[in-house]
């Protein structure tokens, strides 16, 4: 088991940037896929991006592709989500989660295939 811990949320003006961090507590992310999800007020939690720790495969939701970048730091055992050109519709609570690293790309866009979740960090984009 691994416990993800998110940080880096805040209030930013539209067009600005934020970098979210997801650190592993207890064990490492080495055998996992690490995903970012978000949940806006009154909406369902939706997929944003994931990265496989082994190999570094990534995929992004269409809504953030070209604006967000997911990356990892092996030494720090941390995953980052760099968010640029932020829009008001990016406002949500952002969650980091760990899932089975060997799953297919399709399965790893489904929140039901992630088992260990952080508490979330609020991102608010003003316009």
């Amino acid at each position: 088991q691994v416990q993800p811990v998110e940080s880096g949320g805040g209030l930013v003006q539209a067009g600005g940037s934020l970098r979210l961090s997801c650190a592993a507590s207890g064990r490492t992310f080495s055998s996992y896929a690490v995903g970012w999800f978000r949940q806006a007020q009154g909406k369902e939690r939706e997929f944003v991006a994931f990265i496989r720790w082994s190999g570094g495969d990534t995929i992004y939701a269409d809504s953030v592709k070209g604006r967000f970048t997911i990356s990892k730091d092996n030494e720090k055992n941390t995953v980052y989500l760099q968010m640029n050109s932020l829009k008001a519709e990016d406002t949500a609570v952002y969650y980091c989660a760990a899932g089975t690293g060997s799953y297919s790309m399709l399965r790893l866009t489904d929140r039901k295939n992630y088992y260990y979740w952080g508490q979330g960090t609020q991102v608010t984009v003003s316009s």
Side-chain angles (χ1 to χ4, degrees), residues 4 6 15 21 23 28 36-38 45 48 80-81 100-102 105 113 115 124:
E6 309 98 330
S21 298
T28 71
W36 285 98
F37 296 78
R38 66 187 184 185
R45 193 170 300 187
V48 176
Y80 303 99
L81 185 68
T100 302
S102 61
M105 294 288 191
N113 291 316
Y115 310 110
T124 302

Side-chain angles (χ1 to χ4, degrees), residues 26 32 40 43-44 96:
Y32 294 92
K43 303 288 185 67
E44 294 185 348
C96 181

Side-chain angles (χ1 to χ4, degrees), residues 2-115:
V2 63
Q3 178 62 57
V5 181
E6 309 98 330
S7 62
L11 176 64
V12 65
Q13 187 176 356
S17 299
L18 284 173
R19 188 179 73 164
L20 305 183
S21 298
C22 177
S25 178
R27 298 185 179 275
T28 71
F29 286 133
S30 61
S31 64
Y32 294 92
V34 180
W36 285 98
F37 296 78
R38 66 187 184 185
Q39 187 166 17
Q41 191 74 37
K43 303 288 185 67
E44 294 185 348
R45 193 170 300 187
E46 66 177 0
F47 169 76
V48 176
F50 77 76
I51 185 167
R52 282 198 177 96
W53 199 265
S54 179
D57 293 339
T58 62
I59 196 167
Y60 299 88
D62 289 341
S63 60
V64 306
K65 188 176 179 66
R67 299 187 297 120
F68 291 11
T69 302
I70 190 168
S71 62
K72 62 185 178 72
D73 186 320
N74 292 340
E75 292 187 1
K76 295 185 180 296
N77 198 31
T78 298
V79 170
Y80 303 99
L81 185 68
Q82 179 66 46
M83 306 187 295
N84 298 326
S85 301
L86 283 162
K87 306 174 181 179
E89 52 262 43
D90 295 318
T91 295
V93 177
Y94 283 70
Y95 297 90
C96 181
T100 302
S102 61
Y103 279 6
S104 69
M105 294 288 191
L106 180 61
R107 292 183 73 179
L108 289 170
T109 64
D110 187 345
R111 68 189 184 195
K112 294 181 180 179
N113 291 316
Y114 290 80
Y115 310 110

